[in-house]
């Protein structure tokens, strides 16, 4: 048997790498218009679906899937280099190696999905028509299933889940029911169905099974359009007038003790800024993660008194990101938190971090907010302020402000949809569930990179899943207001200091996703795999 010429292998590898790079562009980096993101992603996925399902062996399918995914992650997550090299002082070669090593690891998940699909439901050029539907179902279900596994294994890292690129497509209508992982299944199934339409030169017409696979995929995607018109939540209470503060403190200066006072003064001035003509005075002011880069009990009580005075004069609540240090049962406890207060809050409570309104981050960043065992050597190489924080409780009471109930999450916690759901449900003592979601972040670690736009895309999908508006307050951008349908109502430009005044209508009611989380998507993936493997076995027996 003759070997495949090297030139053909190189062309195939180059094509896969190009498809992977184009795929990375679909996660809202900016070069592509919104309407083109979903279409481009489907076509890129169709390429890898075709070359993995028709690979000569499962081993080659694994290699092809890995190469495509590796390039996607290496290009799409390039901004990690900025944090490690520019702000962490890690040597450039080591920072590049870090990005590539993470990309290589993340690529194992799509690669394994591709290999399993090829092993059990291959789509050879001369395959019987009855195998086409099982191949497309299996490929879509396995890719979605391994996307879910990537989100939960080793604390999870679901950035660049393929469902996010569909936030502006009809498939997004499925978000309130099946969430991002269910959307990933639909997108992957549609891509595989398109891949199955490719006809070898000796075939003249599409057979019935190809038509059936394509028809089901199109119907599944199109069904999202009427679903997007469903109102899964209803307004409750009066709109809340909110001011979002974007201080734009350069990351290299943020943790400089000599510049601490300058940073606090800037945020205090933006908080106290009189509203523009015709703009209602804020009832809630939200400041980003770690506005105070030291523990609250290290700040002079007179500074806390100044913040309380601003809240009192404006008759408003202030919510700010701050690392907290307190003692619980005789033990020191350190948390990355959001603390809320108004003009009536005693200074002693602010110093102690014991305000009635408090949220402690529960999904901590490995190597950033806690150091996994055995990795202190890596952390010691970075010049980044890191810590071993304690985790917050699973369900924390939303902040009650002017009839609305505001649930906070911090930084990349909004990547984990199920983590946001407990706040939507009534508390154990009958406390109301959240009507508004808020994410506070400091993305200054990544400059003006794709990370900012990718994070906004993620936030938009969280609002679709929960049918709740979400506000994002960030240090350097993108600070924005997103409505309960995933539309960006207003935003500030990155890398500019300023405030964003918005009026936010709280919403109540639970979507199917809010009630059941990822269970519906996992059931869908499981049923698709059962149907695919069952059909494939019957075909082989026949």
């Amino acid at each position: 048997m003759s070997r495949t010429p090297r030139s053909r292998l190189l062309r195939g590898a180059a094509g896969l790498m190009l498809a992977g790079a184009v795929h990375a562009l679909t996660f809202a980096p900016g070069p592509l218009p919104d309407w083109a993101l979903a279409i481009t992603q489907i076509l890129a996925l169709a390429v890898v679906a075709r070359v993995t399902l028709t690979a000569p062996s499962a081993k080659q399918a694994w290699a092809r899937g890995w190469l495509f995914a590796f390039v996607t992650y290496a290009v799409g997550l390039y901004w990690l280099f900025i944090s490690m090299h520019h702000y962490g002082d890690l040597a450039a070669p080591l920072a590049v190696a870090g990005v590539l090593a993470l990309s290589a690891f993340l690529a194992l998940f799509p690669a394994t999905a591709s290999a399993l699909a090829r092993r059990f439901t291959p789509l050879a050029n001369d395959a019987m028509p009855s195998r086409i539907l099982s191949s497309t179902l299996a490929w879509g279900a396995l890719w979605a299933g391994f996307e879910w596994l990537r989100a939960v294994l080793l604390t999870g890292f679901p950035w660049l889940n393929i469902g996010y690129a569909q936030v502006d497509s009809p498939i997004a209508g499925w978000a309130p029911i099946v969430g991002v992982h269910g959307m990933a299944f639909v997108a992957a199934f549609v891509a595989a169905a398109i891949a199955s339409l490719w006809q070898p030169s000796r075939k003249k017409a599409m057979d019935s099974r190809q038509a059936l696979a394509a028809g089901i995929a199109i119907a599944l995607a199109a069904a999202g359009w009427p679903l997007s018109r469903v109102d899964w939540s209803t307004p409750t209470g009066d709109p809340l007038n909110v001011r979002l503060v974007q201080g734009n403190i350069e990351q290299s200066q943020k943790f400089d003790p000599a510049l601490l006072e300058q940073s606090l003064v800037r945020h205090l001035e933006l908080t106290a800024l009189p509203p523009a003509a015709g703009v209602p005075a804020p009832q809630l002011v939200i400041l980003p993660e770690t506005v105070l880069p030291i523990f609250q009990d290290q700040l002079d009580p007179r500074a806390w008194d100044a913040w309380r005075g601003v809240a009192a004069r404006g008759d408003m609540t202030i919510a700010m990101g701050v690392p907290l240090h307190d003692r619980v049962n005789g033990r020191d406890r350190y948390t990355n938190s959001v603390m809320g207060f108004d003009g009536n809050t005693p200074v002693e409570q602010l110093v102690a971090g014991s305000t009635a309104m408090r949220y402690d981050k529960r999904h901590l960043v490995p190597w950033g907010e806690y150091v996994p065992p055995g990795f202190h050597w890596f952390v010691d190489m970075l010049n980044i302020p890191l810590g071993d924080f304690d985790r917050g409780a699973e369900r924390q009471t939303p902040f009650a402000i002017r009839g609305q109930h505001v649930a906070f999450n911090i930084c990349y916690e909004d990547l984990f949809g199920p983590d946001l759901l407990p706040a939507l449900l009534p508390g154990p003592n009958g406390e109301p569930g959240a009507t508004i979601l808020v994410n506070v972040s400091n993305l200054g670690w990544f400059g003006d990179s794709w990370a900012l736009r990718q994070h906004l895309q993620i936030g938009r999908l969280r609002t679709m899943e929960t049918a709740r508006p979400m506000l994002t307050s960030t240090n350097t951008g993108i600070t924005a207001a997103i409505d309960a349908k995933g539309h960006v109502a207003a935003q500030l430009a990155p890398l500019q200091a300023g405030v964003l005044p918005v009026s936010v209508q709280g919403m109540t009611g639970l979507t199917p996703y809010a009630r059941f989380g990822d269970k519906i998507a996992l059931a869908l993936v499981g049923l698709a795999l059962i149907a695919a493997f069952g059909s494939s076995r019957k075909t082989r027996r026949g």
Side-chain angles (χ1 to χ4, degrees):
M1 185 175 69
S2 61
R3 294 184 177 181
T4 304
R6 178 174 296 183
S7 60
R8 184 177 177 183
L9 287 175
L10 292 176
R11 287 197 303 270
L16 271 175
M17 294 173 69
L18 177 61
V22 171
H23 186 227
L25 296 179
T26 65
F27 295 96
L32 296 175
D34 290 345
W35 62 266
L37 297 178
I39 297 173
T40 303
Q41 184 200 44
I42 294 295
L43 295 178
L45 287 174
V47 171
V48 71
R50 182 70 195 185
V51 299
T52 55
L53 284 172
T54 59
S57 67
K59 183 178 180 180
Q60 291 194 33
W62 188 96
R64 294 174 181 182
W66 183 89
L67 181 61
F68 171 88
F70 171 74
V71 174
T72 291
Y73 296 130
V75 174
L77 300 175
Y78 79 92
W79 38 265
L80 291 171
F81 171 86
I82 299 173
S83 64
M84 289 189 287
H85 176 60
H86 290 284
Y87 298 117
D89 292 337
L90 191 65
L94 292 177
V96 170
V99 175
L100 296 181
L102 176 63
S103 301
F105 170 73
L106 296 177
L108 296 177
F109 294 89
T112 305
S114 299
L116 290 174
R118 168 59 184 84
R119 169 67 178 81
F120 294 105
T121 58
L123 183 66
N125 288 336
D126 58 350
M128 290 181 288
S130 57
R131 187 173 291 174
I132 293 174
L133 182 57
S134 62
S135 295
T136 54
L137 275 175
W139 198 86
L142 285 166
W143 265 65
F146 274 85
E147 286 283 46
W148 172 82
L149 189 62
R150 182 164 66 90
V152 299
L153 189 66
L154 301 176
T155 79
F157 188 74
W159 208 289
L160 303 190
N161 181 302
I162 61 176
Y164 289 123
Q166 297 298 315
V167 72
D168 287 303
S169 82
I171 293 175
W174 284 99
I177 301 175
V178 298
V180 68
H181 298 299
M183 290 171 59
F185 165 71
V186 177
F189 177 42
V190 171
I194 291 175
S196 74
L197 296 179
W198 182 83
Q199 299 286 328
S201 58
R202 62 181 177 275
K203 298 183 68 175
K204 297 181 179 180
M206 181 191 308
D207 58 52
S208 61
R209 292 302 177 115
Q210 286 174 307
L212 178 60
I216 293 175
I218 292 172
L220 200 58
W225 186 83
L227 287 173
S228 67
R229 268 58 182 173
V230 176
D231 292 324
W232 298 97
S233 59
T234 57
T236 180
D238 296 326
L240 189 64
N241 298 322
V242 182
R243 171 179 293 175
L244 304 174
V245 175
Q246 182 172 293
N248 192 37
I249 304 299
E250 166 62 36
Q251 191 60 39
S252 61
Q253 302 175 3
K254 188 171 180 63
F255 293 94
D256 187 340
L259 300 175
L260 173 61
E261 182 177 355
Q262 176 183 326
S263 172
L264 286 177
V265 168
R266 178 185 295 185
H267 284 100
L268 190 64
E269 290 175 345
L270 291 172
T271 300
L273 195 70
V279 176
Q283 299 165 312
L284 170 64
V285 176
I286 302 173
L287 298 104
E289 177 187 17
T290 57
V291 164
L292 182 65
I294 59 176
F295 289 106
Q296 91 292 343
D297 53 5
Q298 296 175 311
L299 186 65
D300 192 316
R302 290 173 295 180
W304 281 121
D305 194 45
W307 279 97
R308 186 186 64 166
V310 168
R313 289 190 294 273
D315 187 25
M316 59 190 177
T317 299
I318 297 175
M320 62 191 304
V322 54
L324 296 181
H325 166 227
D326 55 5
R327 291 183 65 82
V328 178
N329 298 325
R331 172 183 172 272
D332 286 317
R333 187 168 181 265
Y334 302 91
T335 57
N336 185 2
S337 303
V338 175
M339 187 167 63
F341 57 92
D342 58 25
N344 297 317
T345 305
V347 171
E348 293 76 13
Q349 288 188 12
L350 295 174
V351 173
S354 58
T355 59
M357 291 182 288
R358 169 174 169 171
Y359 171 77
D360 299 331
K361 188 175 182 181
R362 57 178 293 232
H363 204 126
L364 303 178
V365 181
W367 298 287
E369 292 166 324
Y370 78 94
V371 182
F375 283 93
H376 282 273
W377 63 271
F378 178 75
V379 173
D380 291 341
M381 297 174 63
L382 298 175
N383 184 26
I384 294 178
L386 305 177
D388 275 324
F389 286 110
D390 293 281
R391 289 180 171 83
E394 179 178 348
R395 207 281 182 184
Q396 302 179 53
T397 303
F399 295 10
I401 304 172
R402 308 290 177 105
Q404 297 296 338
H405 302 275
V406 184
F408 283 82
N409 58 85
I410 299 176
C411 194
Y412 92 145
E413 279 190 305
D414 63 351
L415 267 75
F416 304 90
D419 288 2
L420 307 189
L421 303 183
L424 303 180
L425 304 175
N429 299 317
E431 308 94 327
T435 58
I436 298 171
L437 300 177
V438 177
N439 176 269
V440 296
S441 299
N442 175 26
L443 300 181
W445 294 109
F446 312 117
D448 187 13
S449 67
W450 294 358
L452 279 61
R453 287 163 284 282
Q454 290 169 354
H455 195 225
L456 182 64
Q457 186 186 60
I458 291 166
R460 292 180 60 196
L461 191 48
R462 293 290 88 83
T463 68
M464 296 177 182
E465 291 174 339
T466 60
R468 293 291 189 281
M470 177 182 282
L471 307 174
T472 66
S473 180
T474 67
N475 175 28
T476 57
I478 296 175
T479 295
I482 311 169
D483 68 21
K485 292 285 188 179
H487 304 122
V488 178
Q491 69 180 70
L492 290 175
L495 304 186
Q496 294 182 17
V499 299
L500 183 65
V502 293
S503 180
V504 186
Q505 176 60 65
M507 306 294 286
T508 188
L510 297 177
T511 64
Y513 180 79
R515 294 179 185 275
F516 302 107
D518 290 333
K519 295 184 180 66
I520 300 177
L522 293 176
L524 179 64
V525 167
L527 290 173
L529 289 175
I530 291 172
F533 293 152
S535 175
S536 178
R537 289 184 64 184
K538 288 181 180 179
T539 300
R540 292 179 182 180
R541 289 175 181 176

